[in-house]
Amino acid sequence: MSFDISSYNSVVDGLEKFLDDIDGKVRVAIPQAEQEALDLPYVRLIPPVQRAVKTCADKLIEICKWLWDKVIEIMKGIRAPYDMYLRSRDWTDVRDSVSSIQGEIDPNNLAVNRVWKGAAQLAYMKSNTAQSAASGKVGDIADKTKTVLIESAVAGLAFYAGLLSICWQFLASLAAAIAALATGVGAPISLADIAADSGITTAQIWVAVGLLSAFVGQQARSFGDLHSAASDNSSFPGGRWPDPISSTFSDASVGGDNESKWRLN
């Protein structure tokens, strides 16, 4: 699973263009089509058709403003997928760093444990065992955090891409409705078509929001599991990084048995 930055930028640009297009339709295209229809000779002579043209224009503007407001509201969180992607990379770096540290201080990998022996060496190995386990725990938390963040970023991008698809579908129907409005007699047909398409669009938006909300709920549970893992003190006695207790292996003096606490194998 990966997050594609170019796709993200394309979706952001597409939604911003959609908002500009809708704004242009409300301020220019719909009023212009309404006026063109009202200027037609047969429309001027038939009051019911005039009323149909005005009603259709008003409804088109109402629907456009509704959708514009909803898209603006939903787009308040559009940067979240990108930020989650960036943070996932940070946690990848953390995981790689601590995993490297874990390997370097693993008692099985330390040359000192093959060269030296004695009480101090045993204390040093015990300290490294605890330190290595703690590093592994941090690496595990970092990896889980990275996974949750990238999954959330991908899901967020998919949601906004789906929203963009709905918006383009609406624009296509809106263009046809405006063209029908300009004919005057096509105003009732235009209104019926755009109303029907608006209903589909509304339903699609709420379905998409519902799916995203369900996914966010799943991610919230994942973050809860992550918090539990971070709160697990099995590798962090007392909630702190393991104390190396360096005094237990800092002494190289000779004991009563004339053996140093650090001795060559």
Side-chain angles (χ1 to χ4, degrees), residues 37 40 42-43 46 49-50 52-53 180-190:
L40 293 171
Y42 58 84
V43 173
I46 310 174
V49 176
Q50 293 177 20
V53 167
L181 170 64
T183 66
V185 293
I189 299 174
S190 169

Side-chain angles (χ1 to χ4, degrees), residues 58-136:
D58 291 343
K59 288 298 181 181
L60 289 179
I61 291 174
E62 179 184 333
I63 291 169
C64 287
K65 287 183 175 179
W66 178 89
L67 185 56
W68 193 92
D69 288 341
K70 291 304 175 187
V71 173
I72 283 289
E73 181 179 348
I74 294 172
M75 281 188 67
K76 289 179 180 178
I78 198 168
R79 186 172 170 83
Y82 180 70
D83 286 339
M84 289 178 180
Y85 164 71
L86 292 181
R87 297 292 79 78
S88 75
R89 297 182 64 184
D90 292 341
W91 281 101
T92 298
D93 292 340
V94 172
R95 180 202 61 189
D96 293 346
S97 295
V98 296
S99 295
S100 177
I101 293 172
Q102 180 188 15
E104 291 173 0
I105 64 177
D106 186 333
N108 296 316
N109 299 329
L110 289 173
V112 67
N113 291 321
R114 294 189 291 272
V115 177
W116 295 91
K117 64 181 180 179
Q121 181 269 337
L122 291 174
Y124 180 67
M125 183 173 67
K126 183 177 181 180
S127 173
N128 274 297
T129 298
Q131 298 275 333
S132 179
S135 298

Side-chain angles (χ1 to χ4, degrees), residues 38-251:
L38 293 174
D39 288 341
L40 293 171
Y42 58 84
V43 173
R44 291 200 303 265
L45 296 174
I46 310 174
V49 176
Q50 293 177 20
R51 290 193 293 270
V53 167
K54 293 177 181 179
T55 298
C56 179
D58 291 343
K59 288 298 181 181
L60 289 179
I61 291 174
E62 179 184 333
I63 291 169
C64 287
K65 287 183 175 179
W66 178 89
L67 185 56
W68 193 92
D69 288 341
K70 291 304 175 187
V71 173
I72 283 289
E73 181 179 348
I74 294 172
M75 281 188 67
K76 289 179 180 178
I78 198 168
R79 186 172 170 83
Y82 180 70
D83 286 339
M84 289 178 180
Y85 164 71
L86 292 181
R87 297 292 79 78
S88 75
R89 297 182 64 184
D90 292 341
W91 281 101
T92 298
D93 292 340
V94 172
R95 180 202 61 189
D96 293 346
S97 295
V98 296
S99 295
S100 177
I101 293 172
Q102 180 188 15
E104 291 173 0
I105 64 177
D106 186 333
N108 296 316
N109 299 329
L110 289 173
V112 67
N113 291 321
R114 294 189 291 272
V115 177
W116 295 91
K117 64 181 180 179
Q121 181 269 337
L122 291 174
Y124 180 67
M125 183 173 67
K126 183 177 181 180
S127 173
N128 274 297
T129 298
Q131 298 275 333
S132 179
S135 298
K137 186 69 171 181
V138 173
D140 183 52
I141 292 172
D143 188 62
K144 289 180 179 178
T145 303
K146 180 266 299 184
T147 299
V148 170
L149 286 171
I150 198 66
E151 286 179 351
S152 298
V154 170
L157 174 56
F159 166 73
Y160 283 108
L163 177 63
L164 178 60
S165 177
I166 293 170
C167 290
W168 287 141
Q169 175 185 332
F170 178 82
L171 275 181
S173 298
L174 179 61
I178 292 174
L181 170 64
T183 66
V185 293
I189 299 174
S190 169
L191 181 57
D193 288 345
I194 198 64
D197 192 70
S198 174
I200 294 172
T201 303
T202 303
Q204 289 173 330
I205 288 177
W206 292 128
V207 167
V209 170
L211 292 174
L212 183 65
S213 299
F215 183 84
V216 168
Q218 294 174 355
Q219 294 310 300
R221 288 189 292 274
S222 296
F223 276 110
D225 294 341
L226 190 61
H227 175 72
S228 297
S231 302
D232 180 5
N233 292 332
S234 59
S235 299
F236 304 96
R240 297 183 298 274
W241 190 262
D243 186 348
I245 318 178
S246 57
S247 61
T248 61
F249 53 81
S250 62
D251 184 4

